[in-house]
Amino acid sequence: MIAETALAALWLAAAMSVLQLLFGVVALRPGGGEVTSAMRPIAVAQALLVGLSFLLLIQLFLRTDLSVGLVAANSHTMKPWLYKVAGAWGNHEGSMLLWVTVLAIAGAAVALFERRLDERTLIATLAAQAAIGLGFYAFLLFSSNPFERLFPAPLEGNGLNPLLQDPGLAFHPPTLYFGYVGISIAFSFAVGALITRDVGPAFARAMRPWVLAAWIFLTLGITAGSYWAYYELGWGGWWFWDPVENASLMPWLAATALLHSVTVLATRDGLRAWTVMLAVVAFSMSMIGTFLVRSGILTSVHSFAVDPERGAFILALLALYIGGALALFALRVGTVKEGSTFDLVSREGALVANNLFLSAILGIVFVGTLYPLLIEALAGEKLSVGPPYFNSVAGPIALALVAVMGAGPLLRWRRDRVTDLVRRLALPLAITGLALLALLLLAPGLGILPLVGLVVAFGVGAASLAPLWKRNLRRTPLFTWGMVISHLGIAVSLAGMASEAAFTKETLIAARPGETVRVGPYALRFDSVAPIAGPNWTAMEATLTARRGDGGGFVLRPQARTFNAPRTDTSEAAIATRLDGQLYTVIGKADEGGRWQLRLWWKPFVTLIWLGGALVAFGGLLSLIGRVRRRRRDGESHA
């Protein structure tokens, strides 16, 4: 009965979504105010029902109920409980149920906590959120039912993709989804404001915390996904420009631009139409990402569906929502006033430059991701657009973006003078010059991009801290601390990326037990290789003793695992983290002569990449807390 109860809850949640949309339409019509009070409870009821449905799906996986087709296809009785839980969203149907659950929770959160938005705009926002949810409920109920029964039930399940059997993947998708789907709130706010012609600072101040919250989750999800790919896939890289990676990066780029433009609108009443358009673009990127991953047109560990009908369904939803929003924008953009003006040399000007650079990078990633798919669909020709394209085209623009980011917070609102800006930037510029000189002397022969990346990272790191100079730090607002820490996090990540690109050492060798190999400053003795067994896998495990100079040794144990359900071979890297980098080891297959393939990397300061990502998200969290506290304080003062 669990599956039937869950399906009934899903149908009822869909019914609540219909009701929420209808009540919203009625409430916005003249004389329709009587149903306004019902909107908030309906949104909450919808979230509770779909949340119940999702929890029951997890229960089905925990019980390994093989009479449910989704469980039989993606779980196994021998699987550890954590991966049984993760199996609930490690597949197409479950991930789409998670998608719509997050969508409903986001709508309920707006209904419960948003009190300062104009009531008509709030009603329109909730109605728009219900309209989005309705399409995905239809998708689940008519095309991707997660609770469909199997008869007769199999004796054993197929298991979960072994690459997804990792603690990181148990937490990464929900985090990413809260960001991915949370962007829908910005879209619904934009649609609501267009419907009621209420695009102004009050609308922007109401929307900003929701955009910020989604952006934080998206940042955490991308950072965690990058580290998971780094240590789990055993290829030694942290970003491959894979279409699925790009599918999460594109909404982040758009959301980052939106976060800055909504600040201009909230603070200085500028960029009105641009802010609304960015909200639409950010959600469009989220929808395109969903289409890419769920349509089956990509082959990836993340792509689950291979049914063209499902892809067509999502494509139809994408066209409906985005086309409808763009049509509404075209109809109403004439009623959106231009807002306040500003000089080119001003903080607004820097934020506009920030938006243009982010948009350019978004365009490059968008073209590089979709162009090969388009060519294959039209001409049947397979093309590959990889790191050389993205790094060489987007890299210089990203460096310019980071440089503008360092200068922006030091500019005054409305207008400023170049001479004053140069005076404020004197110390960061001096640090930049010293970093360049030191790198040229101590590390000659660096590639141009890594060299510029390191130099810019030092300069931007110093500039990021400049807004705190001569301030009373105890009285500095939390959102200012948040901005400083987020910008510093970007500099830290950039330093990690440039260091990894400039200084990584790799050794690929076939070795026998007893031999010693070197990589970077380390000597590794290949002690032995032996079979071991885990809960649902077997493996050959190597024992390597690593030494650096005359220091004490430490042991690494990389594994070559074999899963039986489904039959899959994977590499489990062994990684040693030190203050100045990571030693990364992978064991491959043995040859007929008894030699084992070993891949060894020494990656100086690579951990800065993810430390910076965590700092960016932490800064966003401080900003969010600061904004919420200020809103609450302002609300109390007006009460």
Side-chain angles (χ1 to χ4, degrees):
M1 286 298 290
I2 294 177
E4 286 70 27
T5 304
L7 186 58
L10 189 60
W11 273 102
L12 286 173
M16 289 295 111
S17 180
V18 174
L19 207 57
Q20 186 175 325
L21 177 59
L22 291 177
F23 275 32
V25 172
V26 172
L28 290 172
R29 295 175 66 85
E34 293 180 357
V35 299
T36 300
S37 59
M39 289 290 286
R40 293 180 193 265
I42 290 174
V44 174
Q46 184 199 154
L48 290 175
L49 284 165
V50 72
L52 172 65
S53 180
F54 186 66
L55 289 175
L56 290 176
L57 179 66
I58 293 175
Q59 178 68 7
L60 289 170
F61 270 85
L62 279 173
R63 294 164 60 104
T64 319
D65 186 342
L66 299 174
S67 69
V68 176
L70 190 65
V71 180
N74 297 283
S75 193
H76 192 282
T77 53
M78 296 297 290
K79 197 190 302 178
W81 72 268
L82 179 62
Y83 305 129
K84 288 185 179 181
V85 174
W89 54 78
N91 55 79
H92 168 74
E93 289 83 356
S95 67
M96 292 312 299
L97 182 56
L98 175 61
W99 213 102
V100 80
T101 301
V102 175
L103 192 72
I105 289 174
V110 171
L112 283 173
F113 301 115
E114 184 52 61
R115 300 290 173 185
R116 300 191 64 187
L117 192 63
D118 174 78
E119 190 171 56
R120 282 178 55 78
T121 305
L122 176 65
I123 295 300
T125 299
L126 291 177
Q129 193 73 2
I132 299 171
L134 194 54
F136 284 93
Y137 284 121
F139 181 53
L140 275 168
L141 293 169
F142 300 123
S143 175
S144 302
N145 178 8
F147 304 107
E148 192 169 323
R149 291 284 189 184
L150 270 184
F151 184 80
L155 295 176
E156 191 50 272
N158 290 335
L160 177 66
N161 182 341
L163 289 176
L164 303 182
Q165 295 185 39
D166 178 83
L169 257 289
F171 302 104
H172 161 59
T175 308
L176 194 61
Y177 271 40
F178 269 98
Y180 224 44
V181 187
I183 294 294
S184 67
I185 291 294
F187 174 83
S188 296
F189 265 88
V191 171
L194 284 173
I195 290 173
T196 58
R197 298 179 174 84
D198 184 29
V199 181
F203 148 77
R205 283 193 286 272
M207 183 171 77
R208 181 165 52 186
W210 302 99
V211 176
L212 192 49
W215 180 82
I216 292 168
F217 279 113
L218 207 48
T219 304
L220 285 173
I222 292 173
T223 303
S226 166
Y227 192 63
W228 170 82
Y230 171 77
Y231 75 77
E232 179 62 20
L233 300 184
W235 63 296
W238 55 274
W239 193 267
F240 191 65
W241 295 106
D242 177 86
V244 177
E245 293 174 327
N246 296 345
S248 63
L249 179 63
M250 289 189 288
W252 186 86
L253 290 167
T256 305
L258 173 61
L259 199 56
H260 289 87
S261 71
V262 82
T263 297
V264 175
L265 179 53
T267 309
R268 297 292 161 179
D269 193 16
L271 305 180
R272 290 184 173 190
W274 176 245
T275 300
V276 171
M277 175 55 82
L278 273 181
V280 175
V281 169
F283 185 61
S284 303
M285 294 300 110
S286 176
M287 288 289 293
I288 288 172
T290 304
F291 170 70
L292 288 176
V293 178
R294 300 290 176 263
S295 63
I297 62 174
L298 296 178
T299 301
S300 162
V301 65
H302 296 82
S303 55
F304 305 111
V306 292
D307 183 351
E309 289 185 10
R310 290 171 172 173
F313 204 125
I314 296 177
L315 194 59
L317 289 180
L318 195 155
L320 179 66
Y321 294 141
I322 307 309
L326 291 176
L328 180 64
F329 181 82
L331 285 172
R332 294 293 172 85
V333 69
T335 66
V336 178
K337 295 179 180 176
E338 182 183 353
S340 301
T341 57
F342 48 84
D343 286 357
L344 184 62
V345 182
S346 64
R347 188 175 295 190
E348 292 96 323
L351 290 171
V352 168
N354 155 299
N355 268 225
L356 292 176
F357 285 135
L358 282 167
S359 300
I361 297 170
L362 174 59
I364 291 165
V365 177
F366 183 84
V367 170
T369 304
L370 294 187
Y371 177 71
L373 302 175
L374 189 64
I375 292 298
E376 185 175 351
L378 296 178
E381 183 181 351
K382 284 189 176 296
L383 292 179
S384 176
V385 176
Y389 160 78
F390 291 105
N391 291 341
S392 60
V393 180
I397 300 175
L399 289 174
L401 167 68
V402 174
V404 170
M405 183 196 75
L410 301 180
L411 284 161
R412 292 192 174 92
W413 291 105
R414 300 248 186 249
R415 63 178 61 87
D416 207 342
R417 295 192 305 179
V418 174
T419 51
D420 290 344
L421 175 63
V422 171
R423 180 173 50 79
R424 292 180 212 123
L425 282 172
L427 183 56
L429 288 173
I431 291 173
T432 303
L434 287 174
L436 176 62
L437 186 62
L439 285 168
L440 290 175
L441 290 174
L442 300 176
L446 287 181
I448 186 67
L449 269 181
L451 175 65
V452 175
L454 281 168
V455 168
V456 170
F458 277 103
V460 169
S464 299
L465 297 172
L468 298 179
W469 294 347
K470 299 181 182 177
R471 271 181 177 264
N472 182 338
L473 298 183
R474 295 180 62 184
R475 300 177 66 85
T476 300
L478 265 185
F479 48 80
T480 301
W481 276 105
M483 176 194 70
V484 167
I485 291 174
S486 284
H487 286 185
L488 183 62
I490 294 288
V492 169
S493 274
L494 179 59
M497 295 172 198
S499 294
E500 197 266 351
F503 305 120
T504 289
K505 302 294 182 187
E506 178 182 4
T507 297
L508 173 60
I509 194 169
R512 292 186 178 86
E515 294 184 6
T516 297
V517 295
R518 299 196 65 87
V519 60
Y522 284 93
L524 291 95
R525 189 182 67 231
F526 184 10
D527 294 325
S528 62
V529 60
I532 62 168
N536 61 339
W537 48 263
T538 57
M540 295 302 293
E541 181 181 85
T543 300
L544 303 165
T545 300
R547 293 184 186 280
R548 185 172 185 172
D550 296 329
F554 57 91
V555 174
L556 296 105
R557 301 182 191 279
Q559 298 172 353
R561 289 186 180 178
T562 299
F563 291 79
N564 289 320
R567 177 80 183 183
T568 310
D569 295 329
T570 66
S571 292
E572 200 70 16
I575 303 171
T577 301
R578 296 295 180 266
L579 284 176
D580 59 345
Q582 286 189 329
L583 182 59
Y584 188 116
T585 62
V586 175
I587 183 172
K589 295 184 180 301
D591 63 18
E592 294 178 352
R595 299 182 306 174
W596 291 82
Q597 295 174 0
L598 292 177
R599 292 196 72 169
L600 315 170
W601 286 275
W602 166 241
K603 293 176 171 291
F605 302 108
V606 68
T607 49
L608 293 181
I609 295 172
W610 305 290
L611 173 63
L615 283 174
V616 172
F618 180 63
L621 178 62
L622 290 183
S623 293
L624 179 61
I625 294 172
R627 295 291 179 195
V628 171
R629 285 173 59 181
R630 169 168 280 194
R631 284 184 61 181
R632 186 173 298 171
R633 193 167 56 243
D634 291 348
E636 289 171 354
S637 66
H638 286 96

